[in-house]
Each structure stands twice: as C-alpha cells, then as structure tokens.
Amino acid sequence: MKTLSVITLMLLLVSMPTHAKKHVELIEQGSYINSEGQSIHRPAHTQNNDVPDGATARCRDGSYSFSAHHRGTCSRHGGVAEWLAS
C-alpha cells in the first residue's frame, strides 16, 4: 500500500504545473474603445503590484496598461516606464 501512495504522489507532482498562476486583482475597472474598435481595459493598479495577464506595459505611475498599440499608451499615467513581453 505504501508503494501505491508514493507512486500516486509522484504522478500528482509531475502533472501539476511548475508555477501556479496567481490571480491578480485589478483595483481600477473600466474600459475604452481603441482605434480598431476593440474594448480595452483601462490602465489599472494591482493589489500587490504583480503583473496582470494581458498587460503590455507598466506606466510610470505604477499602473499596468493593456494597450494593443504603443501610441498613446500610458499617456495619462506619466508615460511608459517599461514595455512588457507579450
């Protein structure tokens, strides 16, 4: 029985992702329509400063932008501090 438990535990560990994805809570809500007619989440801060899914840039005020284009990104948030890998 002990062998079965060890094997089961090993299988569970192997099947689990190596890094659990954290849920990142956005403080500000709301969206805007971009030049292509897409609804984009407005720049927002996070509870713990973790990068939220879909963020494309970190603004100088600490908020995260979800902009699809570079032009105008973080324009009302002090400009872009860092572009994030997509």
Side-chain angles (χ1 to χ4, degrees):
M1 189 65 136
K2 192 173 189 176
T3 304
L4 181 61
S5 298
V6 170
I7 291 171
T8 303
L9 179 60
M10 288 174 63
L11 287 172
L12 284 171
L13 290 173
V14 169
S15 67
M16 293 176 72
T18 55
H19 54 76
K21 196 165 199 149
K22 290 189 264 181
H23 176 70
V24 178
E25 196 72 36
L26 297 174
I27 295 172
E28 296 90 359
Q29 299 300 315
S31 61
Y32 66 93
I33 304 299
N34 72 2
S35 61
E36 295 176 345
Q38 300 168 320
S39 179
I40 306 292
H41 199 292
R42 292 194 177 282
H45 293 85
T46 59
Q47 296 272 342
N48 53 7
N49 209 28
D50 283 345
V51 179
D53 287 342
T56 56
R58 185 174 56 81
C59 303
R60 289 191 179 148
D61 70 354
S63 62
Y64 289 93
S65 172
F66 303 88
S67 179
H69 306 288
H70 284 200
R71 186 176 181 181
T73 299
C74 299
S75 61
R76 294 184 179 149
H77 297 271
V80 174
E82 172 186 19
W83 291 104
L84 305 173
S86 52

PDB file of all heavy atoms in Angstrom, residues 49-77:
ATOM      1  N   ASN A  49       1.029  44.658  -6.813  1.00  0.00           N
ATOM      2  CA  ASN A  49       1.981  45.075  -7.836  1.00  0.00           C
ATOM      3  C   ASN A  49       2.460  43.943  -8.735  1.00  0.00           C
ATOM      4  O   ASN A  49       3.457  44.080  -9.429  1.00  0.00           O
ATOM      5  CB  ASN A  49       3.174  45.832  -7.227  1.00  0.00           C
ATOM      6  CG  ASN A  49       3.745  46.827  -8.209  1.00  0.00           C
ATOM      7  OD1 ASN A  49       3.039  47.341  -9.071  1.00  0.00           O
ATOM      8  ND2 ASN A  49       5.028  47.106  -8.093  1.00  0.00           N
ATOM      9  N   ASP A  50       1.772  42.800  -8.745  1.00  0.00           N
ATOM     10  CA  ASP A  50       2.081  41.730  -9.690  1.00  0.00           C
ATOM     11  C   ASP A  50       1.547  42.117 -11.057  1.00  0.00           C
ATOM     12  O   ASP A  50       0.544  42.816 -11.171  1.00  0.00           O
ATOM     13  CB  ASP A  50       1.436  40.398  -9.263  1.00  0.00           C
ATOM     14  CG  ASP A  50       2.179  39.726  -8.131  1.00  0.00           C
ATOM     15  OD1 ASP A  50       3.341  40.114  -7.860  1.00  0.00           O
ATOM     16  OD2 ASP A  50       1.611  38.815  -7.515  1.00  0.00           O
ATOM     17  N   VAL A  51       2.211  41.647 -12.107  1.00  0.00           N
ATOM     18  CA  VAL A  51       1.801  41.948 -13.473  1.00  0.00           C
ATOM     19  C   VAL A  51       0.542  41.146 -13.819  1.00  0.00           C
ATOM     20  O   VAL A  51       0.542  39.917 -13.734  1.00  0.00           O
ATOM     21  CB  VAL A  51       2.925  41.602 -14.475  1.00  0.00           C
ATOM     22  CG1 VAL A  51       2.483  41.885 -15.891  1.00  0.00           C
ATOM     23  CG2 VAL A  51       4.199  42.365 -14.137  1.00  0.00           C
ATOM     24  N   PRO A  52      -0.538  41.817 -14.206  1.00  0.00           N
ATOM     25  CA  PRO A  52      -1.760  41.096 -14.566  1.00  0.00           C
ATOM     26  C   PRO A  52      -1.667  40.486 -15.956  1.00  0.00           C
ATOM     27  O   PRO A  52      -0.920  40.973 -16.817  1.00  0.00           O
ATOM     28  CB  PRO A  52      -2.831  42.179 -14.520  1.00  0.00           C
ATOM     29  CG  PRO A  52      -2.103  43.447 -14.762  1.00  0.00           C
ATOM     30  CD  PRO A  52      -0.715  43.266 -14.219  1.00  0.00           C
ATOM     31  N   ASP A  53      -2.407  39.419 -16.189  1.00  0.00           N
ATOM     32  CA  ASP A  53      -2.478  38.799 -17.515  1.00  0.00           C
ATOM     33  C   ASP A  53      -2.944  39.826 -18.537  1.00  0.00           C
ATOM     34  O   ASP A  53      -3.870  40.584 -18.277  1.00  0.00           O
ATOM     35  CB  ASP A  53      -3.465  37.628 -17.523  1.00  0.00           C
ATOM     36  CG  ASP A  53      -2.942  36.405 -16.807  1.00  0.00           C
ATOM     37  OD1 ASP A  53      -1.714  36.322 -16.597  1.00  0.00           O
ATOM     38  OD2 ASP A  53      -3.751  35.538 -16.449  1.00  0.00           O
ATOM     39  N   GLY A  54      -2.300  39.833 -19.680  1.00  0.00           N
ATOM     40  CA  GLY A  54      -2.704  40.706 -20.764  1.00  0.00           C
ATOM     41  C   GLY A  54      -2.081  42.089 -20.726  1.00  0.00           C
ATOM     42  O   GLY A  54      -2.249  42.867 -21.667  1.00  0.00           O
ATOM     43  N   ALA A  55      -1.353  42.429 -19.654  1.00  0.00           N
ATOM     44  CA  ALA A  55      -0.725  43.750 -19.573  1.00  0.00           C
ATOM     45  C   ALA A  55       0.390  43.843 -20.609  1.00  0.00           C
ATOM     46  O   ALA A  55       1.142  42.890 -20.817  1.00  0.00           O
ATOM     47  CB  ALA A  55      -0.177  43.995 -18.177  1.00  0.00           C
ATOM     48  N   THR A  56       0.479  44.992 -21.266  1.00  0.00           N
ATOM     49  CA  THR A  56       1.503  45.200 -22.292  1.00  0.00           C
ATOM     50  C   THR A  56       2.576  46.186 -21.849  1.00  0.00           C
ATOM     51  O   THR A  56       3.654  46.225 -22.424  1.00  0.00           O
ATOM     52  CB  THR A  56       0.869  45.696 -23.598  1.00  0.00           C
ATOM     53  OG1 THR A  56       0.127  46.889 -23.330  1.00  0.00           O
ATOM     54  CG2 THR A  56      -0.043  44.629 -24.192  1.00  0.00           C
ATOM     55  N   ALA A  57       2.266  46.991 -20.837  1.00  0.00           N
ATOM     56  CA  ALA A  57       3.233  47.981 -20.353  1.00  0.00           C
ATOM     57  C   ALA A  57       2.956  48.321 -18.893  1.00  0.00           C
ATOM     58  O   ALA A  57       1.833  48.186 -18.417  1.00  0.00           O
ATOM     59  CB  ALA A  57       3.155  49.250 -21.189  1.00  0.00           C
ATOM     60  N   ARG A  58       4.020  48.758 -18.202  1.00  0.00           N
ATOM     61  CA  ARG A  58       3.864  49.309 -16.853  1.00  0.00           C
ATOM     62  C   ARG A  58       4.056  50.804 -16.997  1.00  0.00           C
ATOM     63  O   ARG A  58       5.041  51.275 -17.572  1.00  0.00           O
ATOM     64  CB  ARG A  58       4.899  48.737 -15.883  1.00  0.00           C
ATOM     65  CG  ARG A  58       4.688  49.207 -14.445  1.00  0.00           C
ATOM     66  CD  ARG A  58       5.630  48.521 -13.475  1.00  0.00           C
ATOM     67  NE  ARG A  58       7.029  48.677 -13.828  1.00  0.00           N
ATOM     68  CZ  ARG A  58       7.771  49.761 -13.560  1.00  0.00           C
ATOM     69  NH1 ARG A  58       7.234  50.799 -12.954  1.00  0.00           N
ATOM     70  NH2 ARG A  58       9.032  49.810 -13.925  1.00  0.00           N
ATOM     71  N   CYS A  59       3.092  51.558 -16.512  1.00  0.00           N
ATOM     72  CA  CYS A  59       3.147  53.015 -16.604  1.00  0.00           C
ATOM     73  C   CYS A  59       3.993  53.580 -15.467  1.00  0.00           C
ATOM     74  O   CYS A  59       4.226  52.920 -14.461  1.00  0.00           O
ATOM     75  CB  CYS A  59       1.732  53.602 -16.531  1.00  0.00           C
ATOM     76  SG  CYS A  59       0.603  52.969 -17.800  1.00  0.00           S
ATOM     77  N   ARG A  60       4.437  54.830 -15.627  1.00  0.00           N
ATOM     78  CA  ARG A  60       5.287  55.464 -14.610  1.00  0.00           C
ATOM     79  C   ARG A  60       4.579  55.655 -13.276  1.00  0.00           C
ATOM     80  O   ARG A  60       5.228  55.766 -12.244  1.00  0.00           O
ATOM     81  CB  ARG A  60       5.822  56.786 -15.126  1.00  0.00           C
ATOM     82  CG  ARG A  60       6.860  56.588 -16.195  1.00  0.00           C
ATOM     83  CD  ARG A  60       7.582  57.863 -16.529  1.00  0.00           C
ATOM     84  NE  ARG A  60       8.572  57.571 -17.558  1.00  0.00           N
ATOM     85  CZ  ARG A  60       8.949  58.413 -18.482  1.00  0.00           C
ATOM     86  NH1 ARG A  60       8.431  59.626 -18.507  1.00  0.00           N
ATOM     87  NH2 ARG A  60       9.839  58.067 -19.370  1.00  0.00           N
ATOM     88  N   ASP A  61       3.250  55.687 -13.283  1.00  0.00           N
ATOM     89  CA  ASP A  61       2.525  55.830 -12.014  1.00  0.00           C
ATOM     90  C   ASP A  61       2.280  54.475 -11.344  1.00  0.00           C
ATOM     91  O   ASP A  61       1.617  54.394 -10.326  1.00  0.00           O
ATOM     92  CB  ASP A  61       1.209  56.578 -12.217  1.00  0.00           C
ATOM     93  CG  ASP A  61       0.156  55.793 -12.981  1.00  0.00           C
ATOM     94  OD1 ASP A  61       0.449  54.683 -13.488  1.00  0.00           O
ATOM     95  OD2 ASP A  61      -0.980  56.301 -13.092  1.00  0.00           O
ATOM     96  N   GLY A  62       2.817  53.395 -11.926  1.00  0.00           N
ATOM     97  CA  GLY A  62       2.676  52.064 -11.323  1.00  0.00           C
ATOM     98  C   GLY A  62       1.496  51.265 -11.831  1.00  0.00           C
ATOM     99  O   GLY A  62       1.325  50.111 -11.457  1.00  0.00           O
ATOM    100  N   SER A  63       0.672  51.863 -12.671  1.00  0.00           N
ATOM    101  CA  SER A  63      -0.461  51.121 -13.230  1.00  0.00           C
ATOM    102  C   SER A  63       0.018  50.275 -14.409  1.00  0.00           C
ATOM    103  O   SER A  63       1.119  50.479 -14.930  1.00  0.00           O
ATOM    104  CB  SER A  63      -1.577  52.078 -13.665  1.00  0.00           C
ATOM    105  OG  SER A  63      -1.123  52.945 -14.677  1.00  0.00           O
ATOM    106  N   TYR A  64      -0.809  49.333 -14.818  1.00  0.00           N
ATOM    107  CA  TYR A  64      -0.490  48.460 -15.942  1.00  0.00           C
ATOM    108  C   TYR A  64      -1.446  48.755 -17.082  1.00  0.00           C
ATOM    109  O   TYR A  64      -2.651  48.879 -16.885  1.00  0.00           O
ATOM    110  CB  TYR A  64      -0.588  46.989 -15.539  1.00  0.00           C
ATOM    111  CG  TYR A  64       0.536  46.600 -14.617  1.00  0.00           C
ATOM    112  CD1 TYR A  64       0.376  46.657 -13.244  1.00  0.00           C
ATOM    113  CD2 TYR A  64       1.772  46.206 -15.118  1.00  0.00           C
ATOM    114  CE1 TYR A  64       1.419  46.326 -12.398  1.00  0.00           C
ATOM    115  CE2 TYR A  64       2.821  45.879 -14.283  1.00  0.00           C
ATOM    116  CZ  TYR A  64       2.634  45.941 -12.924  1.00  0.00           C
ATOM    117  OH  TYR A  64       3.674  45.624 -12.094  1.00  0.00           O
ATOM    118  N   SER A  65      -0.892  48.873 -18.299  1.00  0.00           N
ATOM    119  CA  SER A  65      -1.684  49.156 -19.489  1.00  0.00           C
ATOM    120  C   SER A  65      -1.912  47.871 -20.277  1.00  0.00           C
ATOM    121  O   SER A  65      -1.064  46.985 -20.294  1.00  0.00           O
ATOM    122  CB  SER A  65      -0.949  50.169 -20.375  1.00  0.00           C
ATOM    123  OG  SER A  65      -1.624  50.313 -21.603  1.00  0.00           O
ATOM    124  N   PHE A  66      -3.047  47.813 -20.942  1.00  0.00           N
ATOM    125  CA  PHE A  66      -3.417  46.668 -21.771  1.00  0.00           C
ATOM    126  C   PHE A  66      -3.520  47.085 -23.236  1.00  0.00           C
ATOM    127  O   PHE A  66      -4.140  46.417 -24.047  1.00  0.00           O
ATOM    128  CB  PHE A  66      -4.750  46.088 -21.275  1.00  0.00           C
ATOM    129  CG  PHE A  66      -4.698  45.684 -19.827  1.00  0.00           C
ATOM    130  CD1 PHE A  66      -4.982  46.598 -18.819  1.00  0.00           C
ATOM    131  CD2 PHE A  66      -4.322  44.407 -19.476  1.00  0.00           C
ATOM    132  CE1 PHE A  66      -4.898  46.238 -17.484  1.00  0.00           C
ATOM    133  CE2 PHE A  66      -4.238  44.035 -18.149  1.00  0.00           C
ATOM    134  CZ  PHE A  66      -4.518  44.950 -17.145  1.00  0.00           C
ATOM    135  N   SER A  67      -2.893  48.196 -23.557  1.00  0.00           N
ATOM    136  CA  SER A  67      -2.959  48.777 -24.896  1.00  0.00           C
ATOM    137  C   SER A  67      -2.436  47.824 -25.955  1.00  0.00           C
ATOM    138  O   SER A  67      -1.453  47.121 -25.753  1.00  0.00           O
ATOM    139  CB  SER A  67      -2.139  50.067 -24.922  1.00  0.00           C
ATOM    140  OG  SER A  67      -2.156  50.640 -26.200  1.00  0.00           O
ATOM    141  N   ALA A  68      -3.096  47.834 -27.114  1.00  0.00           N
ATOM    142  CA  ALA A  68      -2.676  46.980 -28.230  1.00  0.00           C
ATOM    143  C   ALA A  68      -1.620  47.674 -29.093  1.00  0.00           C
ATOM    144  O   ALA A  68      -0.971  47.031 -29.909  1.00  0.00           O
ATOM    145  CB  ALA A  68      -3.886  46.611 -29.080  1.00  0.00           C
ATOM    146  N   HIS A  69      -1.462  48.992 -28.934  1.00  0.00           N
ATOM    147  CA  HIS A  69      -0.527  49.769 -29.747  1.00  0.00           C
ATOM    148  C   HIS A  69       0.339  50.640 -28.842  1.00  0.00           C
ATOM    149  O   HIS A  69      -0.097  51.038 -27.758  1.00  0.00           O
ATOM    150  CB  HIS A  69      -1.288  50.648 -30.734  1.00  0.00           C
ATOM    151  CG  HIS A  69      -2.246  49.878 -31.588  1.00  0.00           C
ATOM    152  ND1 HIS A  69      -1.833  49.038 -32.596  1.00  0.00           N
ATOM    153  CD2 HIS A  69      -3.594  49.793 -31.552  1.00  0.00           C
ATOM    154  CE1 HIS A  69      -2.891  48.478 -33.152  1.00  0.00           C
ATOM    155  NE2 HIS A  69      -3.974  48.913 -32.534  1.00  0.00           N
ATOM    156  N   HIS A  70       1.517  50.985 -29.295  1.00  0.00           N
ATOM    157  CA  HIS A  70       2.412  51.826 -28.492  1.00  0.00           C
ATOM    158  C   HIS A  70       1.930  53.269 -28.399  1.00  0.00           C
ATOM    159  O   HIS A  70       2.036  53.887 -27.340  1.00  0.00           O
ATOM    160  CB  HIS A  70       3.824  51.795 -29.075  1.00  0.00           C
ATOM    161  CG  HIS A  70       4.551  50.518 -28.761  1.00  0.00           C
ATOM    162  ND1 HIS A  70       5.907  50.424 -28.818  1.00  0.00           N
ATOM    163  CD2 HIS A  70       4.122  49.292 -28.392  1.00  0.00           C
ATOM    164  CE1 HIS A  70       6.290  49.194 -28.494  1.00  0.00           C
ATOM    165  NE2 HIS A  70       5.211  48.489 -28.252  1.00  0.00           N
ATOM    166  N   ARG A  71       1.394  53.784 -29.475  1.00  0.00           N
ATOM    167  CA  ARG A  71       0.990  55.190 -29.500  1.00  0.00           C
ATOM    168  C   ARG A  71      -0.086  55.487 -28.454  1.00  0.00           C
ATOM    169  O   ARG A  71      -1.146  54.856 -28.430  1.00  0.00           O
ATOM    170  CB  ARG A  71       0.472  55.557 -30.884  1.00  0.00           C
ATOM    171  CG  ARG A  71       0.177  57.022 -31.005  1.00  0.00           C
ATOM    172  CD  ARG A  71      -0.235  57.375 -32.399  1.00  0.00           C
ATOM    173  NE  ARG A  71      -0.475  58.813 -32.469  1.00  0.00           N
ATOM    174  CZ  ARG A  71      -0.856  59.431 -33.541  1.00  0.00           C
ATOM    175  NH1 ARG A  71      -1.052  58.761 -34.653  1.00  0.00           N
ATOM    176  NH2 ARG A  71      -1.066  60.723 -33.521  1.00  0.00           N
ATOM    177  N   GLY A  72       0.206  56.433 -27.582  1.00  0.00           N
ATOM    178  CA  GLY A  72      -0.758  56.863 -26.567  1.00  0.00           C
ATOM    179  C   GLY A  72      -0.775  56.011 -25.309  1.00  0.00           C
ATOM    180  O   GLY A  72      -1.472  56.339 -24.352  1.00  0.00           O
ATOM    181  N   THR A  73      -0.014  54.940 -25.283  1.00  0.00           N
ATOM    182  CA  THR A  73      -0.004  54.060 -24.111  1.00  0.00           C
ATOM    183  C   THR A  73       0.490  54.822 -22.881  1.00  0.00           C
ATOM    184  O   THR A  73       1.511  55.503 -22.935  1.00  0.00           O
ATOM    185  CB  THR A  73       0.892  52.831 -24.361  1.00  0.00           C
ATOM    186  OG1 THR A  73       0.364  52.112 -25.481  1.00  0.00           O
ATOM    187  CG2 THR A  73       0.943  51.906 -23.161  1.00  0.00           C
ATOM    188  N   CYS A  74      -0.240  54.740 -21.810  1.00  0.00           N
ATOM    189  CA  CYS A  74       0.085  55.371 -20.511  1.00  0.00           C
ATOM    190  C   CYS A  74       0.123  56.898 -20.601  1.00  0.00           C
ATOM    191  O   CYS A  74       0.718  57.555 -19.743  1.00  0.00           O
ATOM    192  CB  CYS A  74       1.415  54.864 -19.961  1.00  0.00           C
ATOM    193  SG  CYS A  74       1.482  53.096 -19.640  1.00  0.00           S
ATOM    194  N   SER A  75      -0.517  57.480 -21.609  1.00  0.00           N
ATOM    195  CA  SER A  75      -0.429  58.931 -21.811  1.00  0.00           C
ATOM    196  C   SER A  75      -0.971  59.738 -20.633  1.00  0.00           C
ATOM    197  O   SER A  75      -0.489  60.831 -20.370  1.00  0.00           O
ATOM    198  CB  SER A  75      -1.140  59.341 -23.098  1.00  0.00           C
ATOM    199  OG  SER A  75      -2.510  59.008 -23.040  1.00  0.00           O
ATOM    200  N   ARG A  76      -1.923  59.218 -19.924  1.00  0.00           N
ATOM    201  CA  ARG A  76      -2.473  59.928 -18.752  1.00  0.00           C
ATOM    202  C   ARG A  76      -1.956  59.332 -17.441  1.00  0.00           C
ATOM    203  O   ARG A  76      -2.515  59.603 -16.379  1.00  0.00           O
ATOM    204  CB  ARG A  76      -3.993  59.879 -18.778  1.00  0.00           C
ATOM    205  CG  ARG A  76      -4.553  60.656 -19.956  1.00  0.00           C
ATOM    206  CD  ARG A  76      -6.044  60.705 -19.942  1.00  0.00           C
ATOM    207  NE  ARG A  76      -6.502  61.486 -21.081  1.00  0.00           N
ATOM    208  CZ  ARG A  76      -7.627  61.277 -21.707  1.00  0.00           C
ATOM    209  NH1 ARG A  76      -8.428  60.306 -21.325  1.00  0.00           N
ATOM    210  NH2 ARG A  76      -7.972  62.027 -22.727  1.00  0.00           N
ATOM    211  N   HIS A  77      -0.890  58.543 -17.551  1.00  0.00           N
ATOM    212  CA  HIS A  77      -0.322  57.870 -16.382  1.00  0.00           C
ATOM    213  C   HIS A  77       1.190  58.074 -16.295  1.00  0.00           C
ATOM    214  O   HIS A  77       1.916  57.246 -15.769  1.00  0.00           O
ATOM    215  CB  HIS A  77      -0.666  56.376 -16.427  1.00  0.00           C
ATOM    216  CG  HIS A  77      -2.137  56.141 -16.362  1.00  0.00           C
ATOM    217  ND1 HIS A  77      -2.830  55.986 -15.180  1.00  0.00           N
ATOM    218  CD2 HIS A  77      -3.078  56.106 -17.352  1.00  0.00           C
ATOM    219  CE1 HIS A  77      -4.114  55.832 -15.436  1.00  0.00           C
ATOM    220  NE2 HIS A  77      -4.300  55.913 -16.750  1.00  0.00           N
TER     221      HIS A  77
END
